Amino acid sequence: MKTRIISAAVAIVIAVLILALAHTWVFNLAIAAIAVGALYELFKAVGLVKFRPECCACFAFAAVNCLLPMVYKHGFFTFFNVKLYGFIFVTAMLLMYLKNHSEYAYSVPFTMIGMTLLVTYSMSTLIKLISMFPDCGRFAVVLTLAGAWLADSGAYFAGTFFGKHKLCPVISPKKTVEGLIGGTVCNGVFLLIIAAIYSVINKGVEVHLFAIFIAGMFCSLVGLVGDLSASVIKRQTQIKDYGNIMPGHGGIMDRFDSVLLVAPFMFYLFSQGALVTLG
């Protein structure tokens, strides 16, 4: 527990520093590092890191997708957009497959492409939140990450005190139906509190508190899908954690599995004006 607390404290300090520099290249670089790290852990878990040229192509796509928005901000290189470098990436993966088709099955390139597009698209929505909402981008990112992570706390306590019915004993033995309900409600309340505090501090943004409360509950459910999907991979590959970059917490994927679905979900709500209205 001591190790977990220290790791969490260090992670929070780093996260605060990165958010403070959200409108600089530091934020993009941090998201790029997370995306590449998550991909590496996924490829390692399913035994794909041995395909080094293919891995390099996937890592390059993830990094480019996160870093280029900083270039676009200054009006440079705009022709090299995701439609172009996405086409180049997929074509390169298929060319390598054609060259090495006798050495591995079709599942290798298409699994790598699928994982890369999922992780990259999901993480890039955090960058889009910052660029799309210069006045409340940091709040949007904080609310998104809180929506992905805080449900676990509510679910833990609800499950500990009231948990009787197993939710999915084969995939995640400790999760209970009662924990899911408690985590869902608590997540809505947590996001509501964060939003209420922000609305008091920042009068220039109209925060839709009820919508955020509902969104928080949905985040709990959406995040659970990502969490359980990542857990299935770990069980099928017989690993405990994806990595050990955060002692006591595991790897990047162990922390960001739920973010992979919550981030696009929250980005959609923010982009539709469902959660905030700028004054």
Side-chain angles (χ1 to χ4, degrees):
M1 180 60 68
K2 181 180 178 181
T3 301
R4 287 175 64 88
I5 293 174
I6 294 174
S7 295
V10 172
I12 290 173
V13 171
I14 294 174
V16 170
L17 291 175
I18 291 173
L19 274 175
L21 300 170
H23 295 287
T24 71
W25 59 269
V26 174
F27 186 78
N28 295 65
L29 188 61
I31 298 300
I34 292 171
V36 171
L39 282 175
Y40 173 78
E41 290 179 352
L42 280 170
F43 292 162
K44 183 179 180 182
V46 298
L48 295 177
V49 288
K50 60 185 177 182
F51 303 107
R52 294 185 179 180
E54 289 82 356
C55 282
C56 288
C58 294
F59 298 157
F61 175 80
V64 165
N65 194 68
C66 292
L67 295 175
L68 274 184
M70 286 302 299
V71 179
Y72 297 153
K73 184 183 294 186
H74 299 287
F76 302 129
F77 223 42
T78 53
F79 73 92
F80 193 63
N81 56 35
V82 66
K83 295 178 181 178
L84 178 55
Y85 62 76
F87 168 77
I88 294 173
F89 162 63
V90 173
T91 302
M93 291 294 289
L94 293 180
L95 286 174
M96 285 186 280
Y97 174 44
L98 292 175
K99 178 183 178 182
N100 304 310
H101 69 277
S102 61
E103 299 177 18
Y104 55 72
Y106 62 86
S107 58
V108 170
F110 290 104
T111 297
M112 297 181 79
I113 290 173
M115 286 181 169
T116 300
L117 293 179
L118 169 62
V119 171
T120 303
Y121 170 73
S122 298
M123 297 310 300
S124 68
T125 57
L126 296 176
I127 295 174
K128 291 178 181 177
L129 283 173
I130 293 294
S131 60
M132 183 177 290
F133 301 99
D135 295 327
C136 64
R138 293 185 180 90
F139 165 68
V141 171
V142 169
L143 203 66
T144 297
L145 296 179
W149 290 334
L150 294 183
D152 281 346
S153 299
Y156 174 78
F157 288 106
T160 299
F161 292 104
F162 306 107
K164 293 181 179 180
H165 302 88
K166 296 294 183 181
L167 180 65
C168 43
V170 176
I171 300 175
S172 187
K174 294 183 180 180
K175 284 184 170 56
T176 63
V177 174
E178 293 80 5
L180 171 61
I181 296 172
T184 299
V185 176
C186 286
N187 212 44
V189 173
F190 290 149
L191 264 61
L192 179 62
I193 293 172
I194 295 172
I197 294 173
Y198 178 80
S199 66
V200 172
I201 297 174
N202 194 331
K203 300 294 185 180
V205 178
E206 180 185 352
V207 181
H208 306 157
L209 296 178
F210 181 71
I212 287 177
F213 172 70
I214 299 299
M217 292 196 292
F218 273 101
C219 281
S220 176
L221 301 176
V222 171
L224 181 64
V225 176
D227 181 15
L228 292 179
S229 297
S231 294
V232 169
I233 294 177
K234 287 193 290 186
R235 288 200 169 274
Q236 291 181 341
T237 56
Q238 298 180 341
I239 60 174
K240 182 180 182 296
D241 294 317
Y242 280 100
N244 57 2
I245 193 171
M246 287 183 65
H249 292 271
I252 293 174
M253 270 300 299
D254 293 295
R255 292 297 90 202
F256 282 85
D257 49 10
S258 56
V259 176
L260 293 182
L261 293 184
V262 170
F265 171 69
M266 290 293 280
F267 172 74
Y268 174 77
L269 294 181
F270 272 104
S271 66
Q272 296 301 307
L275 304 182
V276 299
T277 299
L278 299 180

